[in-house]
Amino acid sequence: MATHPQFAKSSWRCIQCRIQSRLPVTHSYRAFHLSATPQVEVDTAGSVPEAPPPRPLLDPHTISTPRLERKLFRETGQHPIGSRRRRAALQNSANIPFEQLPYQCFQEARKLLQTDREEKLAQIEEERRRIAKVQATPAEQYGGEHVKKGRLIRMQHYLEELKILADTNDPVIKKRFEDGAGDMNRPIYRFLANRQWRQYRRLVLMQRISQMHVVPDVISYLDPTAEVELAFGRRNVQPGDFVDSGTSEAPPQLKVQVFDKGERFVSIAVVDPDVPNLDTDSFDSRCHFLATNIPVSPTLTSISLSDLSSSATIIRPWLPPHAQKGSPYHRLAVFILEHKDGKKLESKQMDNGQNVQYNSKFNMQSLTDKLHSKVIGIHLFRTIWDDATAGVMERAGIAGGNIELKRKKSEKLPYKKKDGARDRAQHDLWPTLSRDARIYFHNNADFANLTERWSVFSEGDIAVVIEPATTQDVAAAVKFANHYGLPFLAVNGGHGSTSSLNTIQHGVSINLQKLKKIQIAADGHSAILGGGVNTHEVVNTLAASNKVTATTNGGCTGQLGPAMGGGFGRYMGFFGLVMDSIIDMTVVLADGAIVHVSATSHPDLYWAMKGAGQNFGIVTEATFQIYDFPTPHWFYAELTYANASSQLEPLFTAINEIDTNGSQPKELGTLYTVFAIDPTYSKTDVSRYCLYWRRDAVVTF
């Protein structure tokens, strides 16, 4: 079969290229009917319908390539109409209005949408009647004018939402919005425009503001609610773009799109926060433009800074942006400030604005306070020295166009090698320690065990572990850490749970595990306990002599650590808190001094250490009062699980009866209560582990 040369040449070309070259394309057409009665579908495949009349090459309704879109705007100044996908579809089909599209399913859907819209319109009318009724009712019936005003505001907001819901699904509304033919006086078009802005353009704007540190360099807080577009002549400026000095010499044009109804008055300020201050070797802010009482509304959006409305008052005329030669780029931020209640500023308020210092030390936050306004919109661009800057500065009467700034060379400091933690500890600390003391670093095998804690909660960063063998070793470690400005932490059992532990970064751990002294006095009334002993070591050693002292509950915790915070345990009914049994202490203070603390020696520190000892020093040993063993019976424990929905209230009732009525015997004491949620078991039920200790029986519920 012979093939036409034109079709043979174009058989590999895409449909889009065939459309643009006006080559015939064979389609299968089906006729659809608007009637609900099923009709016979006539397949007309193979028959070629009459081609629609050719459209102009630069038709704004049909061009669908970026190149042709740019050419259309360059030659005619007109933007394409509608989305690119719709324009591509219209290239080979008739532009039938939505209301007349011959698709039964589409028309049935429009009927449903129309029914829903009629329901919303009825709700709108009802809400308007309610608003009118509230407005006509005296304020006293609502509890005052303030309450009535708040109720009206909420009702007005609900009315605006109903107006939006009535039209939000209408395809005709969406088409008009895509075509740029929406009436911004209507709530639905303001809603669609606001949503479109927030989905992309506002995100880009906030990203530029964050990257260029406009907040907090210029203003402390920013939440723009109005879209601001900026252009110098025909040059549209995107947020953060560089603009040549010659281009920005003339004032720009702004488009300020607000998305709430009504006209309001705003002020416009242009600020440069990057003005070099040679005296202080820092940067100042300068105001390049300030005008007040400029009207804007959803339909009144265009503002030319060179031709403001008659109601506007120019306080600071346009000063061309300029960057001194040799200085970094300058950020220029354009702020839109809405006046209080959207009203015009009075002469007194404008006088406050005129009293602001503009050439240097300009403060944007101070301006908003003086004008009683808030920032609703922002745009920003950048400028840097270029070939036209000197001429721009000369024409504007700005001095310094022939001056070049140069960076100051930092003065070289005398070179002194600073040893690392390892070298410092080995060279300075090691000679001052006793023979049995040890120093561990990350490469030591025991380092991980010495820095391991009961939990990774609020874990700090330890660079070196010092294991002293005497009180003098602890003092030497403290002085070493102070000399080099290193944070240090005393450790015994490793059960600390305060959130401030993670503030120890690249610090020193003073591990007290070698201070294991337990010495019972000859009279049997006291015992000296080292700072590194654990509770189970104290209990076992004293029990061998039929003695006890106040201890905590857990056997693996240190004896002195909990005591510095008070310390509670199973013997509270007999001997009080753990700290109540302390007679005296040997303490290393924060400066490395060693003091003996008791009721007669440093009594103020003795009082402070018993409850807040961790804040005042490291206890290397303490003398505890010991007592005869009160009973040979063991203590018992019970583990109770409570379901939050059924057993929680009876459990706490029983606990309260035992612990809070003041009649329980001293032999009975609550050990602890832990509340925990195990999500693998249940996300609503709570397992409560309640341990009660008694001398001779198990407490049951």
Side-chain angles (χ1 to χ4, degrees):
M1 179 184 295
T3 305
H4 195 281
Q6 184 180 16
F7 290 101
K9 180 179 179 181
S10 62
S11 59
W12 54 272
R13 301 174 70 184
C14 66
I15 296 178
Q16 177 68 30
C17 296
R18 295 184 186 183
I19 293 173
Q20 293 184 357
S21 60
R22 301 303 174 192
L23 297 178
V25 181
T26 302
H27 291 277
S28 176
Y29 293 91
R30 289 191 173 189
F32 291 89
H33 304 273
L34 295 177
S35 173
T37 305
Q39 302 289 334
V40 178
E41 297 181 0
V42 181
D43 189 356
T44 58
S47 62
V48 181
E50 295 183 3
R55 295 188 175 94
L57 183 61
L58 296 180
D59 188 351
H61 294 87
T62 58
I63 59 172
S64 58
T65 62
R67 181 181 63 83
L68 291 179
E69 291 173 359
R70 293 192 296 268
K71 185 176 181 182
L72 171 69
F73 183 77
R74 185 170 58 250
E75 295 183 2
T76 66
Q78 185 179 3
H79 291 281
I81 298 175
S83 64
R84 185 178 294 170
R85 181 177 59 182
R86 179 155 61 88
R87 283 183 265 119
L90 289 176
Q91 289 179 349
N92 200 44
S93 62
N95 188 9
I96 302 175
F98 274 6
E99 299 85 346
Q100 303 176 13
L101 286 175
Y103 304 119
Q104 182 178 359
C105 182
F106 178 79
Q107 297 299 338
E108 292 295 333
R110 288 192 70 243
K111 291 179 181 179
L112 293 176
L113 294 177
Q114 186 64 26
T115 302
D116 179 73
R117 186 174 188 274
E118 291 174 356
E119 294 177 357
K120 294 296 188 299
L121 292 177
Q123 295 179 19
I124 290 172
E125 292 301 323
E126 177 63 25
E127 191 65 19
R128 284 173 174 167
R129 286 193 294 269
R130 292 179 59 205
I131 292 175
K133 182 179 179 181
V134 173
Q135 290 174 340
T137 304
E140 291 76 12
Q141 296 187 14
Y142 295 103
E145 188 65 33
H146 179 72
V147 178
K148 178 181 177 180
K149 183 178 179 181
R151 184 170 184 176
L152 285 173
I153 291 175
R154 292 191 296 271
M155 295 175 73
Q156 290 288 354
H157 287 171
Y158 180 62
L159 179 62
E160 294 298 315
E161 292 179 5
L162 288 177
K163 292 179 181 178
I164 294 172
L165 293 175
D167 295 324
T168 187
N169 294 317
D170 192 341
V172 178
I173 294 290
K174 293 184 177 180
K175 178 179 181 297
R176 289 174 183 168
F177 177 73
E178 284 187 359
D179 294 347
D183 182 5
M184 293 300 290
N185 283 322
R186 296 183 59 182
I188 181 61
Y189 291 111
R190 296 198 300 269
F191 168 77
L192 294 175
N194 188 19
R195 184 174 65 180
Q196 186 183 63
W197 173 59
R198 290 179 178 273
Q199 284 177 344
Y200 179 72
R201 295 191 297 273
R202 188 181 186 275
L203 299 178
V204 173
L205 174 66
M206 296 306 294
Q207 183 189 55
R208 301 294 187 271
I209 291 172
S210 175
Q211 289 174 339
M212 299 182 189
H213 305 286
V214 176
V215 177
D217 289 357
V218 186
I219 196 166
S220 59
Y221 175 75
L222 191 61
D223 183 21
T225 58
E227 182 179 12
V228 181
E229 298 179 8
L230 184 143
F232 288 96
R234 299 187 65 178
R235 162 80 188 279
N236 292 324
V237 180
Q238 299 300 318
D241 276 0
F242 280 95
V243 180
D244 297 336
S245 299
T247 303
S248 61
E249 184 175 6
Q253 299 84 38
L254 300 179
K255 180 183 178 183
V256 180
Q257 181 65 67
V258 294
F259 303 106
D260 50 346
K261 67 178 181 179
E263 185 181 78
R264 79 291 316 269
F265 289 91
V266 301
S267 296
I268 298 178
V270 182
V271 184
D272 179 0
D274 300 318
V275 181
N277 188 327
L278 303 182
D279 296 332
T280 60
D281 196 19
S282 60
F283 294 93
D284 293 335
S285 294
R286 177 174 56 214
C287 181
H288 282 253
F289 181 83
L290 179 60
T292 62
N293 294 336
I294 302 171
V296 295
S297 69
T299 56
L300 182 60
T301 60
S302 180
I303 302 174
S304 176
L305 300 191
S306 60
D307 185 20
L308 295 175
S309 62
S310 58
S311 63
T313 301
I314 299 178
I315 300 178
R316 171 75 168 178
W318 178 256
L319 179 67
H322 56 279
Q324 200 77 21
K325 187 175 183 180
S327 66
Y329 67 78
H330 288 218
R331 300 164 293 173
L332 277 297
V334 182
F335 291 96
I336 310 298
L337 296 88
E338 182 179 355
H339 301 164
K340 185 177 181 181
D341 299 328
K343 298 179 180 179
K344 295 179 66 174
L345 293 181
E346 300 177 356
S347 57
K348 181 179 180 180
Q349 292 173 306
M350 287 190 290
D351 291 340
N352 291 336
Q354 292 172 348
N355 293 332
V356 176
Q357 191 173 4
Y358 299 106
N359 291 331
S360 63
K361 306 295 183 183
F362 176 79
N363 190 291
M364 186 64 196
Q365 192 66 50
S366 176
L367 178 67
T368 58
D369 295 339
K370 289 180 180 295
L371 298 182
H372 302 288
S373 58
K374 64 177 181 179
V375 178
I376 62 170
I378 184 176
H379 202 288
L380 67 152
F381 63 95
R382 292 179 285 179
T383 186
I384 197 169
W385 173 272
D386 54 37
D387 295 338
T389 304
V392 170
M393 296 176 66
E394 182 179 0
R395 288 189 293 272
I398 304 171
N402 57 346
I403 299 176
E404 181 179 358
L405 302 179
K406 293 186 177 180
R407 292 182 178 271
K408 291 175 58 178
K409 291 185 178 180
S410 58
E411 299 180 2
K412 291 185 177 180
L413 299 176
Y415 178 74
K416 181 180 179 181
K417 183 178 179 180
K418 190 173 182 180
D419 297 330
R422 181 187 183 91
D423 294 331
R424 292 196 296 265
Q426 289 180 339
H427 295 163
D428 298 343
L429 178 62
W430 181 253
T432 66
L433 299 179
S434 62
R435 177 186 298 180
D436 295 329
R438 295 290 182 267
I439 300 177
Y440 300 90
F441 302 95
H442 283 277
N443 59 345
N444 295 112
D446 295 329
F447 185 87
N449 294 332
L450 292 170
T451 56
E452 184 181 10
R453 296 177 59 248
W454 72 282
S455 171
V456 296
F457 168 75
S458 192
E459 200 170 28
D461 176 51
I462 302 299
V464 58
V465 176
I466 302 172
E467 200 173 64
T470 65
T471 299
Q472 289 71 23
D473 292 342
V474 176
V478 171
K479 293 177 180 178
F480 165 80
N482 288 336
H483 179 72
Y484 289 104
L486 301 174
F488 60 90
L489 177 69
V491 178
N492 183 10
H495 289 77
S497 59
T498 59
S499 60
S500 59
L501 288 174
N502 61 2
T503 61
I504 305 296
Q505 298 296 323
H506 197 69
V508 177
S509 173
I510 303 176
N511 196 298
L512 305 177
Q513 290 186 8
K514 283 185 175 293
L515 304 180
K516 294 289 190 180
K517 180 178 181 180
I518 302 178
Q519 180 180 341
I520 301 176
D523 60 3
H525 296 308
S526 64
I528 299 175
L529 305 181
V533 297
N534 294 331
T535 299
H536 71 89
E537 296 171 337
V538 174
V539 172
N540 293 339
T541 303
L542 296 182
S545 301
N546 200 29
K547 296 289 184 178
V548 295
T549 188
T551 59
T552 57
N553 300 319
C556 57
T557 60
Q559 171 71 7
L560 291 179
M564 294 300 98
F568 64 92
R570 65 193 70 175
Y571 289 113
M572 285 191 298
F574 290 95
F575 316 127
L577 298 175
V578 178
M579 68 177 184
D580 294 328
S581 296
I582 296 178
I583 300 174
D584 58 44
M585 294 170 280
T586 301
V587 181
V588 178
L589 301 180
D591 60 353
I594 301 174
V595 295
H596 185 73
V597 180
S598 66
T600 58
S601 175
H602 304 284
D604 292 342
L605 183 58
Y606 177 72
W607 176 85
M609 293 288 292
K610 295 174 65 174
Q614 298 91 335
N615 300 309
F616 297 96
I618 301 175
V619 181
T620 57
E621 65 179 32
T623 302
F624 276 72
Q625 186 175 356
I626 60 177
Y627 315 90
D628 293 330
F629 201 82
T631 175
H633 293 289
W634 289 97
F635 289 80
Y636 296 90
E638 179 184 7
L639 188 62
T640 300
Y641 296 87
N643 182 283
S645 60
S646 60
Q647 300 180 18
L648 182 58
E649 185 173 352
L651 172 64
F652 277 97
T653 300
I655 293 175
N656 291 334
E657 290 177 357
I658 293 174
D659 284 349
T660 62
N661 59 11
S663 62
Q664 71 275 18
K666 64 180 181 179
E667 294 85 358
L668 176 63
T670 304
L671 184 58
Y672 59 81
T673 304
V674 178
F675 300 84
I677 295 179
D678 184 2
T680 62
Y681 168 73
S682 172
K683 295 184 178 180
T684 58
D685 292 343
V686 180
S687 301
R688 293 163 179 81
Y689 302 81
C690 305
L691 278 74
Y692 293 88
W693 297 81
R694 191 174 179 175
R695 296 174 57 248
D696 54 1
V698 177
V699 180
T700 58
F701 299 94

